[in-house]
Amino acid sequence: MAIVTPRTSASPQPAPATPAPAPRPGPLPGLATAAAGVAVAWVVHLLVPAVPMLTAAVVLGIAAAHVPGVRARVRGSARPGLTLAGKRLMRIGVVLLGLKLGLDDVLGLGWATVAMVVAVVAATFAGTLWLGRRLGLRGDQPLLIATGYSICGASAIGAVSEVSGSDEEDVATSVALVTLCGTLAIAVLPLLHHPLGLDDAQFGRWVGAGVHDVGQVVATAQTAGPAALTDAVLVKLMRVALLAPLVAAVAVSVRRRRQSPVMASEKASGKASGKRPPLIPLFVLGFLAMVGVRTTGWVPAAGLDLAAHAQELLLAAALFGLGSAVHLPSLVRTGGRVAALGLCSWVVIAGASYGGVLLTT
């Protein structure tokens, strides 16, 4: 008699559990990394006073993004906080920058100097933007580099990138280039002081009109004495005052571009964001408000000094964050064109400001 083995129906196997996504790191690791970078930059500035703290912060940020053992953290758990530092802390630093500028300081320069500064900024911005596009640089790099050279270095790049919605890599590359050229100016321009036939006050105005970052202006002009330093800072702050109208103009341009038929079709297909940038961003209004506060004279000297230290620390943290987004292999691929634009823009602003100083003094 045959024994029939009963067939058992195979029970369905449970589907393998999908692992829960790893929690996204918060901003604290990146902010702590930026704070450590600022501390090291401060020590570097103390040991080598000729190197501004902001310049050291950018260089350290770039180094951190490429040093084995550190770069994994910079590109991983620290990235959200470093990006936050490069954007939010930059805005607060730009607001506090307004406390360095009073309307009475601008008027004290004289209308001829004010007109010279406006002309130098306009020529540098337009020339750099045109050449950058002719060279075929990617994304917003021509706009950002033009802004950094013509106004106030990395601070201006950060401000304009907020309203233009620029890619983080474009911002980082532009900051690296402008910082490099501004750092070279600290060593090169003092050598040209006497060969160009400039007295101390003229040299200070030339530095203020032609060097990018405020810290770099101070480091360059102080080599010619207190008179040169005073004029350099005043002329530089006049350039800083032009940041607000430039950001507003970029915001208007972005709005118009997003209202164009091409952008409208991309928005309808979901390829473009419909968010419209404000005509004047809140942090620019804050910058103008701080200029007004400084003009009133209500803030005591101790308060201005405290704000200046806070502004430098905030900008150093922001620049460390931006520097950490620089990817040197990508920079090398476009390095020739970027370097050519930086050199040409440097020649334009140095030549225009030199001619302007001779005409107005």
Side-chain angles (χ1 to χ4, degrees):
M1 175 176 166
I3 299 175
V4 179
T5 304
R7 296 178 62 186
T8 57
S9 59
S11 59
Q13 296 295 322
T18 304
R24 186 178 180 183
L28 288 182
L31 292 177
T33 302
V38 171
V40 176
W42 178 68
V43 171
V44 170
H45 175 62
L46 287 181
L47 296 176
V48 188
V51 178
M53 188 171 74
L54 300 186
T55 300
V58 175
V59 174
L60 288 169
I62 296 173
H66 296 85
V67 172
V70 181
R71 64 186 177 194
R73 175 183 174 86
V74 166
R75 297 175 184 174
S77 61
R79 190 70 256 153
L82 291 172
T83 300
L84 177 68
K87 292 183 177 181
R88 304 294 182 182
L89 298 187
M90 176 68 76
R91 294 180 185 180
I92 301 173
V94 169
V95 170
L96 293 178
L97 189 60
L99 285 175
K100 290 188 174 182
L101 179 66
L103 294 179
D104 50 344
D105 295 328
V106 175
L107 297 178
L109 292 173
W111 290 110
T113 301
V114 172
M116 179 270 289
V117 170
V118 172
V120 169
V121 168
T124 305
F125 181 82
T128 305
L129 183 62
W130 175 84
L131 182 58
R133 288 173 174 169
R134 295 278 294 183
L135 290 172
L137 294 186
R138 55 161 280 178
D140 286 335
Q141 286 181 4
L143 170 66
L144 298 175
I145 293 171
T147 301
Y149 270 83
S150 59
I151 302 292
C152 54
S155 303
I157 291 174
V160 168
S161 68
E162 288 293 319
V163 296
S164 62
S166 302
D167 178 77
E168 186 178 21
E169 187 175 342
D170 288 346
V171 177
T173 299
S174 304
V175 166
L177 176 67
V178 171
T179 301
L180 172 62
C181 291
T183 303
L184 291 175
I186 298 174
V188 173
L189 296 193
L191 300 177
L192 301 176
H193 179 181
H194 298 295
L196 291 179
L198 299 172
D199 60 30
D200 290 348
Q202 288 176 322
F203 176 74
R205 294 193 173 205
W206 183 47
V207 170
V211 179
H212 317 315
D213 182 78
V214 175
Q216 294 163 348
V217 166
V218 171
T220 307
Q222 57 86 27
T223 61
L229 180 58
T230 300
D231 278 19
V233 171
L234 287 177
V235 171
K236 176 60 189 175
L237 292 179
M238 176 61 209
R239 286 169 63 196
V240 172
L242 298 177
L243 176 62
L246 178 62
V247 171
V250 171
V252 170
S253 175
V254 171
R255 277 193 168 202
R256 288 177 177 173
R257 189 169 69 244
R258 291 180 179 176
Q259 291 171 351
S260 66
V262 174
M263 291 298 292
S265 63
E266 291 186 357
K267 178 182 174 183
S269 63
K271 295 180 180 179
S273 171
K275 186 178 180 182
R276 300 171 66 189
L279 287 178
I280 302 181
L282 185 61
F283 71 92
V284 175
L285 291 176
F287 169 83
L288 295 174
M290 292 300 101
V291 173
V293 170
R294 173 62 187 267
T295 303
T296 64
W298 293 342
V299 183
L304 293 176
D305 289 341
L306 181 62
H309 289 306
Q311 175 247 328
E312 189 171 23
L313 292 174
L314 288 167
L315 289 183
L319 292 179
F320 182 88
L322 290 174
S324 70
V326 173
H327 188 237
L328 289 180
S330 299
L331 184 60
V332 168
R333 284 195 289 271
T334 57
R337 288 175 291 161
V338 170
L341 178 61
L343 179 60
C344 291
S345 185
W346 198 10
V347 171
V348 168
I349 194 169
S353 56
Y354 177 69
V357 167
L358 293 182
L359 288 173
T360 56
T361 55

